[in-house]
């Protein structure tokens, strides 16, 4: 007899349940009793589990599950402590680091419990979340308090071998699992084909002759290994779910197979002359259900191919220039600061800055812009884009996980793994759904048993097989995963599933002005000065101060100074200080210099010049933004900046207005400027001269009024509002702060992507509701038919996976949403 994990026995290993060889001397005193083990690995793992106070693991392990001895831990794990190696896999935020580990040895929810609690007790671990389906751990830890190699060793001590997650290795694991599924499928198919001949013989009259028992035993010999080997995944899932106090979809299948097999075995062993055997039904069910699951996995993998396509954009090698010679090296070996040669027709392997050369880069994967973008010295290039004609020499700025492409892939993966509220509701329903199935099957058996035991058995088995909670469980995640992949293809990066659900019911849009509704490419249209002020001197000092700012107004003033070839970079600037929404302050030649709004100068107790104010009001009425300049304590100049509306701004505003969605223009600029922009767009509510913290309050006030609010912005001063809004959308031209704060990032700066994101969210929610409706409709029709004994188990096994395939196919239709749009 084999020992169960967590029970003491003389012939079975206490940890894994495998037989203990005679003469083995692997023992340990645990909880006052001596435990026997099959090998030193099981002994050390079990001792470590008890030593850490985690023996509850054995109570959570499914009965009858053989854990298998612990896998061999990876060798040379100290190499993962080097920063040069970690940069391939780890995301850093100061001393805090994130990594995904691929883990061998995870079997069931008990493993999840053990790993998460075991790691959380290690010094420096902030969080450890296990994905049972993907066999991955998302680990966050403080690198100053603990090493990655120590955490991998901690996993090895409790029986799990872990290595950093590599997509190529993960793809190998998926192929291995598919290969295992195919082996089981072929085995079941072989048994089914042979049992068909036995069934033909029995149905042709052999069931009444001298060969009846012979054919019954032949069927038993074929069905038994098929049930144990090919049917093993169903029993593993069912027992694992029960152990975790969760009813899974495998449970009804396992019960149906077991009851049918048990009854057929009883007829065979007792040589009963009345009853019939249904070994053919057992093998047919296993074969058909395995085919369904294999096809589900295949179609699901195809539907979620967006991440794989993004990974394929990454070049595997790079041409590095070392000592004047070209060397082809793996991309993983490239370091920031290296010089890389990118030849025509080759992919850009890293993020970097062009040192030499001139070419056009195809950035369609990144921005959605189909026309190649010209690149000169000083321009930035991104990994995954394609060099079309000239050769470029690039200095590497980011590699591996720090490139823009890697960040996009990470966002898409996180979105596909996230759960929307509607999915959590479905996940709650599924266990009760299974319970109702078991009750219906029991009632069916007792109702039909009054007429015929065999009819009752077949009808109850049909009920168990035909119910399909898996379609309900996949209704939401499949739709979100496909939508996230489609969005990424069109330059719409969605951070989680909740965003799609929320965006579909938005009724109020709030737009920032500069860089969002306008192009953000400001230029100096006029420079107004007081009569005694020297225009070029003022422009030179203003440009010297503004070069420390990243505001679009600063770039416009610097560009104007460069047009006039003013030598402003030699000017010494001290005590530079910036206040978001107001302006900047610095010291030049011992005198204070202020640049910003009129309010900024007033706060600094500077008297405004009436003549300059009058000119500023006239320019603001023409939708020009005015930057006031003070030297010393005198108001000496006004820079009037012109900014064009985006070409697609009017179209977006008109479409939102036609859909009945309210809009607000929220700007820190003067009200006259904001009013002029709103007028060009056909009119909308304007809230101007707003500081960053006040933008946040405006969003909050709208939400308190019952509005579901989208904030669209791109600057640092938009970050609080992007976080506060129900959905924050940042344009790809925005700052790092705004991109981190947003829920959706538009890689292409066109506002049309806002419209596409809204369409995508509505289509996704509609598809989710359709899938849930299809799942319920299927069960509402098929379960009663099975209870009425109108459907046999084989027909049930054929129709059951069809419902899942319909859900997958319906979700895949989302990919056609933008078929008439340009990527």
């Amino acid at each position: 007899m084999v020992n169960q994990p967590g029970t003491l026995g003389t012939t079975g290993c206490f940890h894994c349940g495998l037989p203990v060889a005679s003469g083995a001397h692997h023992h340990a005193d645990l909880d006052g009793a001596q435990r026997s083990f099959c090998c030193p690995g099981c002994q050390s793992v079990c001792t470590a589990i008890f030593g850490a106070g985690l023996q509850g693991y054995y109570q959570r392990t499914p009965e009858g599950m053989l854990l298998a001895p612990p896998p061999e831990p990876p060798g040379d794990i100290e190499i993962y402590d080097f920063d040069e190696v970690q940069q391939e896999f780890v995301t850093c935020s100061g001393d805090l680091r994130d990594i995904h580990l691929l883990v061998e040895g995870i079997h069931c929810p008990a493993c999840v419990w053990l790993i998460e609690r075991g790691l959380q007790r290690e010094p420096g671990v902030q969080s450890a979340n296990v994905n049972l389906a993907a066999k991955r751990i998302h680990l966050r830890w403080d690198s100053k308090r603990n090493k990655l190699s120590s955490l991998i060793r901690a996993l090895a001590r409790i029986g799990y071998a872990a290595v950093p997650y590599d997509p190529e290795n993960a793809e190998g694991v998926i192929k291995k699992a598919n290969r295992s599924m195919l082996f089981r499928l072929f085995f079941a198919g072989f048994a089914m084909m042979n049992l068909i001949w036995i069934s033909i013989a029995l149905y042709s009259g052999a069931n009444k002759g001298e060969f009846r028992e012979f054919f019954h035993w032949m069927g038993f010999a074929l069905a038994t290994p098929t049930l144990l080997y090919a049917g093993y995944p169903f029993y593993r899932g069912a027992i694992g779910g029960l152990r975790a106090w969760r009813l899974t979809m495998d449970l009804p299948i396992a019960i149906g197979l077991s009851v049918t097999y048990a009854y057929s075995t009883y007829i065979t062993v007792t040589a009963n002359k009345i009853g019939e055997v249904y070994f053919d039904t057992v093998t047919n069910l296993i074969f058909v259900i395995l085919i369904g699951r294999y096809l589900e996995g295949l179609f699901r993998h195809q539907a979620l191919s967006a991440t794989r396509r993004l990974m394929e954009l990454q070049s595997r090698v790079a041409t590095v220039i070392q000592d004047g010679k070209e060397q082809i090296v793996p991309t993983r070996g490239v370091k920031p600061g290296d010089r890389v040669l990118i030849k025509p027709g080759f992919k850009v392997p890293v993020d970097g800055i062009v040192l030499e050369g001139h070419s056009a880069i195809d950035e369609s994967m990144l921005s959605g812009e189909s026309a190649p973008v010209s690149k000169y010295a000083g321009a930035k290039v991104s990994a995954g884009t394609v060099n079309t004609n000239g050769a470029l020499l690039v200095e590497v700025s980011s590699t591996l996980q720090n490139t823009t492409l890697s960040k996009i892939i990470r966002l898409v993966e996180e979105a596909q793994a996230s759960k929307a509220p509607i999915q959590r509701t479905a996940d709650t329903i599924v266990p009760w759904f299974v319970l109702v199935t078991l009750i219906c099957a029991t009632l069916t058996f007792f109702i039909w048993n009054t007429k015929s035991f065999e009819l009752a058995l077949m009808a109850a088995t049909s009920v168990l097989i035909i119910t399909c909670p898996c379609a309900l469980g996949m209704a939401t995640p499949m739709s979100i995963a496909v939508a996230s992949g489609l969005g990424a293809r069109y330059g719409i990066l969605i951070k989680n599933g909740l965003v799609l659900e929320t965006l579909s019911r938005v009724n109020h849009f709030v737009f920032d002005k500069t860089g969002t509704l306008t192009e953000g490419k400001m230029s100096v249209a006029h420079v107004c000065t007081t009569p005694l002020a020297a225009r070029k001197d003022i422009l030179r000092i203003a440009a010297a101060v503004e070069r420390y700012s990243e505001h679009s107004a600063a770039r416009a003033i610097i560009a104007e100074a460069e047009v006039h070839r003013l030598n402003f970079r030699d000017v010494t600037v001290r005590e530079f200080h910036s206040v978001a929404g107001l302006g900047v302050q610095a010291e030049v030649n011992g005198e204070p210099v202020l640049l910003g709004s009129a309010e900024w100068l007033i706060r600094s107790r500077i008297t405004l010049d009436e003549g300059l104010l009058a000119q500023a009001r006239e320019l603001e009425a023409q939708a020009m933004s005015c930057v006031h300049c003070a030297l010393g304590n005198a108001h000496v100049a006004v820079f009037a900046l012109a900014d064009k509306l985006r070409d697609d701004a009017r179209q977006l505003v008109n479409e939102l207005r036609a859909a009945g969605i309210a809009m607000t223009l929220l700007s820190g600029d003067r009200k006259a400027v904001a009013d002029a922009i709103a007028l060009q767009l056909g009119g909308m509510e304007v809230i101007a001269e707003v500081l960053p913290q006040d933008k946040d309050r405006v969003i909050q006030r709208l939400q308190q009024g019952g509005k579901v609010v989208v904030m669209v912005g791109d600057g640092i001063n938009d970050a609080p509002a992007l976080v506060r809004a129900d959905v924050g959308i940042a344009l790809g031209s925005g700052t790092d702060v705004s991109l981190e704060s947003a829920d959706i990032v538009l890689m292409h700066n066109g506002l049309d992507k806002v419209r596409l994101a809204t369409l995508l969210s509505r289509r996704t929610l509609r598809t989710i509701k359709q899938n849930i409706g299809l799942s319920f409709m299927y069960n509402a029709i098929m379960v009663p038919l099975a209870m009425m004994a109108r459907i046999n188990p084989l027909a049930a096994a054929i129709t059951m996976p069809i419902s899942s395939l319909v859900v997958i196919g319906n979700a895949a239709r989302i990919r056609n949403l933008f078929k008439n749009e340009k990527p």
Side-chain angles (χ1 to χ4, degrees), residues 534-739:
R535 184 177 182 275
K536 287 191 175 182
D537 288 343
I538 293 172
L539 179 58
R540 177 171 172 265
I541 293 172
V545 173
E546 291 285 23
R547 75 177 188 266
Y548 293 99
S549 172
E550 65 169 17
H551 197 279
S552 55
R555 292 193 291 270
I557 292 173
I558 292 170
E560 183 70 9
E562 289 175 340
V563 167
H564 289 84
R565 298 182 179 180
L566 300 178
N567 188 16
F568 62 89
R569 299 189 187 277
D570 292 338
V571 176
T572 302
V573 178
R574 294 186 175 89
E575 305 295 332
F576 177 84
H577 176 61
S578 174
V579 178
L582 289 173
V584 298
Q585 180 178 359
E587 187 178 290
V588 177
N589 298 328
E591 283 191 335
V593 178
L594 283 84
L595 289 153
S597 65
E599 175 67 20
W600 179 230
L601 270 61
I602 292 171
R603 288 191 182 192
S604 301
R605 298 180 180 179
I606 293 175
T607 302
L608 301 181
D609 184 90
E610 290 298 331
L612 291 177
L613 280 179
Q615 293 180 72
R617 282 192 287 269
E618 292 178 6
L619 294 167
E620 287 170 352
Q622 300 171 38
M624 293 187 192
S625 300
C626 290
V627 177
H628 296 259
C629 177
L631 300 182
N633 293 315
H635 183 200
V636 296
V638 170
F639 296 93
L641 309 180
D643 192 6
K644 286 176 56 182
L645 273 178
R646 290 186 183 273
D647 294 336
D648 49 5
R650 288 188 184 87
Q651 180 185 354
L652 174 63
V653 170
N654 290 338
E655 289 181 357
L656 292 176
R657 188 181 291 116
I661 295 175
M663 288 169 287
T664 298
L665 175 57
L666 189 61
S667 176
D669 211 337
R670 298 280 292 174
K671 191 171 191 310
V673 178
D675 283 337
I677 293 294
L679 188 62
Q680 292 179 36
L681 292 170
M684 67 175 72
E685 181 189 13
V686 174
I687 303 177
E689 302 179 39
V690 182
L691 297 177
Q693 58 269 31
D694 295 327
K695 287 187 177 184
D696 173 60
R697 294 192 191 103
V698 170
I699 300 294
Q700 187 176 25
R701 189 165 64 247
L702 289 170
Q703 291 171 327
Q704 290 171 347
K707 301 292 186 181
V708 182
V709 182
V710 169
M711 173 68 193
V712 186
D714 74 327
I716 288 178
N717 58 349
D718 296 323
L722 289 169
V723 172
R724 171 70 66 182
D726 296 284
V727 178
I729 300 178
L731 273 67
S733 59
T735 61
D736 289 342
V737 175
S738 64
L739 298 183

Side-chain angles (χ1 to χ4, degrees), residues 353-429:
I353 297 173
V354 177
L355 297 176
E356 298 176 12
H358 168 226
S359 183
I361 298 289
D362 180 0
E363 295 184 342
S364 57
M365 55 70 57
L366 193 65
S367 66
E369 181 61 54
S370 57
V373 180
S374 294
K375 298 292 181 181
Y376 300 87
K380 294 180 179 179
V381 293
S382 299
T385 56
V386 180
N387 185 19
T388 59
N389 44 47
L392 295 174
L393 183 64
V394 173
E395 181 178 336
V396 178
S397 60
S398 300
T399 60
L400 302 170
Q401 290 202 2
N402 296 318
T403 64
T404 303
L405 177 61
S406 294
K407 291 176 182 176
I408 292 173
I409 292 172
R410 191 156 58 246
L411 280 174
V412 174
E413 286 182 334
E414 288 173 0
Q416 290 180 340
S418 65
K419 288 188 177 183
I422 194 170
Q423 181 183 348
R424 295 190 183 99
T425 303
D427 290 346
T428 304
I429 292 172

Side-chain angles (χ1 to χ4, degrees), residues 433-454:
F433 190 93
V434 176
L435 179 61
V436 170
T437 299
L438 297 176
I439 294 172
C440 289
T442 304
L443 288 174
T444 301
F445 177 81
F446 283 113
I447 291 171
W448 288 104
N449 192 39
T450 58
K451 185 174 182 180
S452 166
F453 176 83
E454 292 185 359

